[in-house]
Amino acid sequence: MTEADHTAIAERLRKAGLRPTRQRVALGALLFGGEDRHVSAEMLHAEALRAGEQVSLATVYNTLHQLTGAGLLRELAIDGGKAYFDTNTSNHNHFFIESEGCLMDIPGCAIRVDGLPEPPEGMRVSHIDVVVRLVPKDA
């Protein structure tokens, strides 16, 4: 990434209310430097190490949760304790390919949910997460 790219990531962090530390900028560059993507903390940690960034797995987890809290990522809980983070924060759903452990976006208009209960007094539905699990046809 160029210096201009790093500057743009730092500005994006500032606008979200986060201090652009070296590690946040480096991880942000990996997350936001291309197409939308889905990553786990372990995936991002391995990618950061391959890129020469000396960052602990705990720092990666903390940064992912800070970015999520700031609205820059969307967290998806898959298989109980396994969390993935999505750089596309729009309201959309996902395919989960179980054998590969990877997520794919489903366009927002491709799924319709009927029969939602009324939310409790003073609450509104923020969004609905639908994960469609996929396995090979011959499995």
Side-chain angles (χ1 to χ4, degrees):
M1 290 199 96
T2 67
E3 186 61 36
D5 293 329
H6 283 273
T7 301
I9 297 291
E11 185 57 28
R12 187 173 185 176
L13 292 171
R14 275 190 206 91
K15 284 183 179 177
L18 297 172
R19 193 165 54 89
T21 64
R22 181 191 60 78
Q23 292 173 321
R24 282 186 189 142
V25 171
L27 293 173
L30 293 172
L31 288 166
F32 307 118
E35 300 288 318
D36 282 327
R37 55 194 299 222
H38 308 95
V39 297
S40 67
E42 294 79 10
M43 291 165 57
L44 186 59
H45 181 247
E47 190 176 329
L49 294 178
R50 282 193 303 275
E53 291 297 328
Q54 296 304 309
V55 60
S56 71
L57 182 56
T59 297
V60 172
Y61 270 105
N62 290 337
T63 300
L64 288 169
H65 287 290
Q66 291 161 351
L67 294 172
T68 300
L72 298 175
L73 294 175
R74 185 170 158 201
E75 184 175 3
L76 303 162
I78 307 291
D79 288 335
K82 183 72 170 181
Y84 288 84
F85 297 85
D86 192 348
T87 58
N88 177 355
T89 59
S90 70
N91 191 10
H92 66 283
N93 300 292
H94 296 88
F95 285 121
F96 179 67
I97 303 172
E98 291 183 347
S99 61
E100 299 174 21
C102 71
L103 289 164
M104 296 171 48
D105 288 345
I106 298 173
C109 60
I111 291 181
R112 198 175 103 219
V113 178
D114 288 327
L116 285 177
E118 281 296 316
E121 180 75 29
M123 304 297 286
R124 67 174 177 80
V125 174
S126 163
H127 61 273
I128 298 167
D129 289 324
V130 174
V131 176
V132 178
R133 295 172 174 273
L134 302 176
V135 295
K137 285 184 178 184
D138 57 358

